[in-house]
Amino acid sequence: MVLIGPPGAGKGTQAARLAAHYRIPHISTGDMLRMEVRQETPIGLQVRDRLAAGLLVPDALMLGMVEHRLLQKDAKQGFILDGFPRSPYQAEALQRLLERIQRPLMAVVQLIVPDQEIVVRLSYRRCCSLCGKTYHLMYNQPQREGYCDIDQAPLVQRDDDREDAIRTRLQVYHQQTEPVVDYYRRTPLLREVHALGDVPSISLHIQNLLKGAAA
Ligand code: AP5
């Protein structure tokens, strides 16, 4: 399945829960790119500035990474794609790829959250510097202030959670990614979810919607 929605809509939060529930991998293109940046690989060095500015990275690069990941063994029983596709071009390329590997999509879940809430969610988000687990300074606080519950590593703010980058990411979403929702609206796959409210209730709602998804 694909999870789609604006920056900070809760895609990563929900994908992690759904992945645990369905026992399939959570594949986040943002996490994959941030890992490349952290490890200072050639890809990481190439995309670092675009990520920090909130701009999309080149399609060819992203498509190669996604294809490589989807072909790995753990994705054979299914996968949750978070952050991909992000443009109609990527949606069409994904369609071709999935046809080629004979793995049709079962559902596309759109998380709907107003822009004002996005700004609050992203400005107060903090992430573990080691495992990447996400917290929120108001809604989802760590047990010990400033440190991850899982590995006690310090929490940090993502470079693209600065005010100017958040504005750019929202603009990019409305201009380049919303047309992907229109693309899937023309198929029977799209499920719309109003993603305000507590995290477990939203997960449950998504699971209920997925019960009707075609196998
Ligand atoms: P990516 O990592 O995909 O960023 P994004 O889409 O901007 O989404 P986020 O990870 O910021 O938010 P989220 O929706 O996962 O929300 P979260 O669960 O953390 O991409 C980053 C960059 O990589 C892009 O800008 C681009 O440069 C590049 N990139 C990635 N994919 C690409 C592609 N396909 N093509 C080209 N470039 C690509 O939640 C946010 C906060 O809200 C957290 O603090 C959380 O605790 C809190 N929260 C979650 N749910 C709730 C709730 N229900 N109520 C209250 N708070 C909540």
Side-chain angles (χ1 to χ4, degrees):
M1 63 172 279
V2 163
L3 260 184
I4 194 165
K11 301 183 295 297
T13 302
Q14 292 300 334
R17 297 175 68 93
L18 294 167
H21 180 77
Y22 294 112
R23 298 173 190 213
I24 53 176
H26 165 202
I27 300 178
S28 156
T29 46
D31 285 349
M32 286 159 68
L33 292 166
R34 280 185 290 278
M35 177 73 82
E36 299 282 343
V37 171
R38 265 201 302 279
Q39 295 179 344
E40 298 185 344
T41 64
I43 289 180
L45 295 175
Q46 186 189 337
V47 302
R48 185 179 53 197
D49 292 348
R50 292 193 74 79
L51 242 71
L55 297 167
L56 297 186
V57 310
D59 284 331
L61 172 81
M62 204 67 263
L63 285 168
M65 289 178 76
V66 168
E67 173 161 0
H68 178 74
R69 182 65 187 87
L70 291 186
L71 290 174
Q72 283 173 24
K73 201 171 160 201
D74 67 336
K76 277 211 161 62
Q77 300 306 316
F79 49 81
I80 300 175
L81 267 179
D82 156 15
F84 187 93
R86 250 178 157 94
S87 64
Y89 177 85
Q90 291 186 4
E92 281 162 15
L94 177 65
Q95 176 67 19
R96 284 194 297 275
L97 167 64
L98 295 178
E99 275 169 17
R100 184 151 48 84
I101 62 174
Q102 300 184 333
R103 311 290 308 282
L105 273 184
M106 286 175 62
V108 175
V109 175
Q110 179 198 10
L111 300 182
I112 302 170
V113 176
D115 284 3
Q116 314 87 278
E117 171 72 6
I118 294 297
V119 176
V120 176
R121 286 191 186 181
L122 293 182
S123 321
Y124 292 94
R125 172 168 60 183
R126 296 294 181 272
C127 307
C128 173
S129 51
L130 201 61
C131 71
K133 183 174 161 54
T134 296
Y135 297 86
H136 191 277
L137 296 185
M138 286 163 10
Y139 306 138
N140 177 20
Q141 297 168 351
Q143 284 159 12
R144 181 172 156 227
E145 195 182 327
Y147 295 91
C148 180
D149 294 347
I150 295 177
D151 47 34
Q152 314 307 318
L155 302 184
V156 293
Q157 186 169 32
R158 263 169 55 173
D159 284 346
D160 59 351
D161 280 348
R162 288 172 293 102
E163 203 185 318
D164 54 338
I166 294 173
R167 260 200 310 274
T168 305
R169 287 160 68 200
L170 275 170
Q171 213 173 20
V172 167
Y173 177 76
H174 292 308
Q175 287 172 358
Q176 301 187 49
T177 307
E178 266 175 0
V180 178
V181 176
D182 298 331
Y183 172 91
Y184 286 120
R185 197 166 277 125
R186 297 195 289 272
T187 73
L189 296 171
L190 189 68
R191 309 280 187 281
E192 293 181 350
V193 173
H194 290 276
L196 288 178
D198 68 284
V199 169
S201 305
I202 297 168
S203 307
L204 206 58
H205 181 51
I206 296 174
Q207 286 168 32
N208 284 332
L209 287 176
L210 292 177
K211 280 183 188 150

